[in-house]
């Protein structure tokens, strides 16, 4: 795994804004962590280069309780600073014992029943987290010492999925994850068949979610890149027009000086002939 924080900045937007006026605010950047906001202690991997000018990547070689915490990012254009991004909570895991997760009345229930998950940890803690894996994240927390209950219900088929729990002493330092518990929910009392639950691994979910997010970013980036290109074309056309006007002005001044020089030479010749004519008359 890698603990790379990546900050996304829309360069096209703040370029166009700073051209208009420095008093306007820059667009707020977006920050996310890849491959996950939860990284096991000490895990590291060399990050891949993104190769895009509007994304800055900050690499954390190894996760520890000191590097875990809440992160924000900002950026600057000339003398103007953007507003900070929304906060990103980066969590380090595998710090304490492994909790045990159980479900009652059992992992196979019928729609409409009440279900409770119990998370138990041998060493005392003060907070527990229950995570449902899948494309739609659902994270619950409860305060407790060695065991807490997460009541869920009446359940529906939307509650199907794989669950894990964690213990923690603060919001950014968690225990090892519990073994997964898969909850299956039948449609009704007359239906004894349990529809299979599509399994998405604990780490794959965040990658899938990030792929969706990056696809949306790519669309926005393409739009802002187009705006920036149009702005550059306008600036280049303006510079070409200014250069052409300078050439025309220089040519006009050259012609004017040549004409003045010619007029001066003609006046001198006229005066010379006039003086010569007067001498002849005398």
């Amino acid at each position: 795994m890698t603990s790379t924080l990546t900050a996304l900045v829309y360069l096209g937007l703040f370029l166009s804004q700073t051209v208009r006026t420095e008093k306007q605010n820059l667009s707020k950047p977006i920050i996310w962590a890849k491959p996950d906001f939860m990284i096991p202690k000490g895990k590291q991997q060399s990050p891949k280069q993104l190769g895009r000018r509007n994304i800055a990547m900050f690499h954390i070689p190894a996760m520890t309780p000191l590097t875990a915490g809440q992160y924000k990012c900002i950026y600057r254009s000339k003398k103007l600073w953007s507003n900070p991004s929304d906060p990103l909570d980066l969590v380090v895991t595998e710090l304490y014992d492994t909790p045990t997760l159980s479900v009652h009345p059992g992992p196979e229930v019928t729609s409409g029943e009440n279900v409770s998950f119990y998370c138990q940890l041998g060493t005392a803690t003060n907070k527990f987290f229950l995570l449902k894996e899948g494309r739609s994240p659902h994270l619950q927390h409860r305060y407790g010492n060695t065991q807490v209950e997460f009541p869920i219900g009446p359940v529906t088929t939307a509650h199907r999925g794989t669950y894990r729990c964690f213990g923690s002493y603060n919001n950014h330092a968690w225990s090892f994850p519990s073994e997964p518990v898969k909850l299956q929910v039948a449609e009704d009392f007359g239906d004894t068949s349990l529809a299979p639950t599509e399994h998405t691994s604990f780490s794959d979910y965040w990658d899938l979610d990030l792929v969706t997010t990056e696809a949306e970013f790519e669309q926005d980036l393409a739009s802002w890149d187009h705006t920036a290109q149009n702005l550059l074309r306008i600036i280049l056309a303006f510079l070409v027009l200014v250069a052409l006007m300078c050439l025309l002005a220089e040519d006009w001044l050259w012609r004017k000086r040549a004409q003045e020089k010619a007029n001066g030479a003609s006046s001198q010749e006229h005066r010379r002939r006039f003086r010569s004519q007067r001498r002849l008359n005398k």
Side-chain angles (χ1 to χ4, degrees):
M1 293 184 179
T2 177
S3 53
T4 303
L5 296 184
T6 309
L8 178 63
V9 178
Y10 293 113
L11 292 185
L13 179 58
F14 76 68
L15 278 175
S16 61
Q17 286 183 329
T18 52
V19 168
R20 295 191 191 105
T21 171
E22 286 286 336
K23 295 182 180 180
Q24 296 185 12
N25 292 328
L26 301 178
S27 60
K28 183 171 69 174
I30 301 172
I31 184 172
W32 76 90
K34 185 176 181 179
D36 198 349
F37 78 97
M38 293 181 293
I39 306 296
K41 179 183 177 182
K43 297 293 184 180
Q44 58 184 325
Q45 180 180 342
S46 299
K48 296 180 180 179
Q49 296 298 324
L50 298 175
R52 286 179 283 186
R53 69 181 184 275
N54 45 12
I55 297 181
M57 182 172 61
F58 303 91
H59 179 57
I60 299 177
M63 281 299 298
T64 67
L66 295 178
T67 56
Q70 190 174 92
Y71 287 80
K72 295 181 181 180
C73 70
I74 59 175
Y75 65 94
R76 186 180 72 175
S77 174
K78 298 181 180 179
K79 296 182 179 181
L80 190 63
W81 287 92
S82 72
N83 291 323
S85 66
D86 293 332
L88 168 70
D89 289 305
L90 194 63
V91 176
V92 59
T93 63
E94 300 185 1
L95 294 179
Y96 314 114
D97 294 338
T98 303
T100 301
L101 181 65
S102 59
V103 59
H104 298 276
E108 299 180 2
V109 294
T110 304
S111 179
E113 290 190 56
N114 291 319
V115 173
S116 290
F117 284 93
Y118 292 88
C119 187
Q120 183 177 5
L121 190 64
T123 56
T125 183
N126 62 9
K127 186 182 288 188
F128 290 84
F129 291 90
L130 178 68
L131 176 70
K132 179 180 182 291
E133 299 176 11
R135 290 187 63 86
S136 298
H138 186 65
L139 188 68
Q140 301 182 54
H141 73 271
R142 292 284 189 276
Y143 292 97
N145 189 4
T146 59
Q147 178 176 293
V148 295
E149 177 187 4
F150 293 92
I152 300 176
V155 296
T156 66
T157 55
H159 291 94
R160 295 171 178 169
T162 302
Y163 293 79
R164 295 177 187 262
C165 74
F166 299 80
S168 74
Y169 286 103
N170 60 60
N171 290 332
H172 303 104
W174 295 6
S175 70
F176 283 81
S178 67
E179 290 296 322
V181 173
K182 182 178 291 186
L183 179 66
Q184 300 189 30
V185 182
E187 292 289 348
D188 52 49
F189 288 97
D191 183 10
T192 58
S193 64
L194 297 174
T197 302
E198 180 182 356
H199 176 67
T200 304
S201 69
F202 187 56
S203 60
D204 288 346
Y205 152 68
W206 299 106
D207 286 337
L208 290 172
D209 185 65
L210 184 59
V211 168
T212 302
T213 303
E214 287 184 333
E216 296 173 352
F217 290 161
E218 289 292 344
Q219 295 177 359
D220 292 338
L221 291 176
S223 175
W224 292 120
D225 285 343
H226 181 69
T227 302
Q229 291 175 4
N230 288 338
L231 181 62
L232 289 175
R233 292 190 184 99
I234 294 174
I235 294 174
L236 289 175
F238 175 76
L239 293 176
V240 171
L241 180 60
V242 170
L244 181 60
M245 293 179 63
C246 290
L247 291 175
L248 292 175
E250 184 179 0
D251 180 71
W252 179 80
L253 289 174
W254 182 84
R255 292 177 180 274
K256 181 179 180 181
R257 290 169 183 168
Q259 183 66 36
E260 291 175 348
K261 186 177 181 180
N263 291 339
S266 178
S267 297
Q268 291 178 1
E269 180 65 20
H270 180 73
R271 287 194 296 271
R272 187 184 65 79
R273 290 181 179 180
F274 179 75
R275 287 194 295 268
S276 298
Q277 185 67 32
R278 290 184 61 184
R279 292 192 189 98
L280 292 175
N281 291 334
K282 291 179 180 181

